Amino acid sequence: MKKVSCLRKRIKLFSIFLVMTLLLASCGTPGKEGIPDATDWELGDFSYTNQEGNTFGLKDMKGDITVASLIFTSCTTVCSPITANLAKLQRMSEEKGLNVHFLSFSVDPEVDTPEKLTEFGNKFEADYTKWNFLTGYSQEQIETFGPENFKTIVAKPKNGGEVVHGTSIYLIDQEGTIVKSYDGLDVPFEEILEHVKILQEQ
């Protein structure tokens, strides 16, 4: 009964965040001409540790177009498909001559060391010259950073179990503004690449 009650609470919490996300998306601004329902969410400042043990932060993103995700290496459900989709998007962008960078935040940072993130990224043949997997912050920090910036739940159950988190991926412009979110499991690859082109031309 306790497990059922806990699950219901978790689902209720996720539903609240989902409603908030939809409401915010519906109020999106046309700040990026040509990109429908632009979210225009400003990404907060951060400075974390990447898979190579180097510092990577918001200042390092400036000037680049980035696609971001939330993952963790021991995830048995959605994280591998999301990361595989980003790897495919990376290959497609290179084939089309588009300069796109990728960023994956671990939602289980106290477990995901740089070494584990490297091992995880290697499974998908990630090009680390344009892809940073981030850790080096507390669980409490990412559980605040995720909802505040990406408008999605991040919660690690206290009694064990996998981290609960959103499955969207996010397009971030050269100024560090999140301009659009997409389904990370059923990815509209061509749409994202078209939006990347729009950002490059602005």
Side-chain angles (χ1 to χ4, degrees):
M1 289 298 291
K2 286 185 178 179
K3 286 185 177 180
V4 173
S5 177
C6 183
L7 181 60
R8 284 177 179 168
K9 286 180 181 178
R10 213 179 294 170
I11 292 171
K12 184 178 180 181
L13 181 61
F14 180 74
S15 298
I16 291 170
F17 273 100
L18 185 59
V19 169
M20 287 173 60
T21 301
L22 292 172
L23 286 172
L24 285 163
S26 67
C27 296
T29 66
K32 297 300 175 182
E33 187 177 349
I35 298 180
D37 302 318
T39 52
D40 201 31
W41 301 334
E42 185 177 349
L43 184 61
D45 192 21
F46 67 91
S47 182
Y48 298 144
T49 304
N50 72 4
Q51 73 282 350
E52 295 174 350
N54 298 323
T55 299
F56 185 90
L58 180 63
K59 64 180 178 62
D60 300 298
M61 296 174 60
K62 294 297 180 72
D64 295 325
I65 296 168
T66 304
V67 177
S69 65
L70 302 172
I71 56 90
F72 63 107
T73 63
S74 60
C75 175
T76 61
T77 53
V78 297
C79 300
S80 287
I82 290 172
T83 308
N85 285 334
L86 260 63
K88 179 179 178 179
L89 190 63
Q90 186 173 57
R91 292 191 297 272
M92 290 176 69
S93 64
E94 290 171 354
E95 289 168 2
K96 292 180 180 290
L98 297 173
N99 187 20
V100 186
H101 290 244
F102 294 83
L103 189 60
S104 294
F105 292 86
S106 170
V107 294
D108 197 11
E110 293 168 3
V111 172
D112 286 341
T113 60
E115 293 77 17
K116 284 190 175 182
L117 289 172
T118 298
E119 183 180 349
F120 184 73
N122 286 346
K123 294 178 183 179
F124 306 96
E125 300 181 349
D127 177 2
Y128 297 121
T129 63
K130 291 185 178 180
W131 196 338
N132 286 274
F133 290 78
L134 298 184
T135 187
Y137 38 88
S138 69
Q139 188 65 38
E140 183 180 1
Q141 282 177 299
I142 193 62
E143 291 187 8
T144 299
F145 187 85
E148 285 184 352
N149 290 275
F150 298 110
K151 320 305 179 193
T152 187
I153 186 172
V154 177
K156 186 171 185 177
K158 303 299 182 185
N159 59 345
E162 296 199 348
V163 182
V164 179
H165 64 96
T167 59
S168 294
I169 59 176
Y170 305 86
L171 180 62
I172 305 170
D173 72 8
Q174 300 93 322
E175 300 301 317
T177 301
I178 302 168
V179 299
K180 185 82 174 177
S181 64
Y182 312 85
D183 190 328
L185 296 172
D186 186 15
V187 177
F189 295 101
E190 294 297 338
E191 180 184 358
I192 294 174
L193 294 175
E194 185 60 35
H195 293 167
V196 168
K197 288 182 184 177
I198 291 170
L199 292 179
Q200 283 190 344
E201 294 168 358
Q202 291 184 358

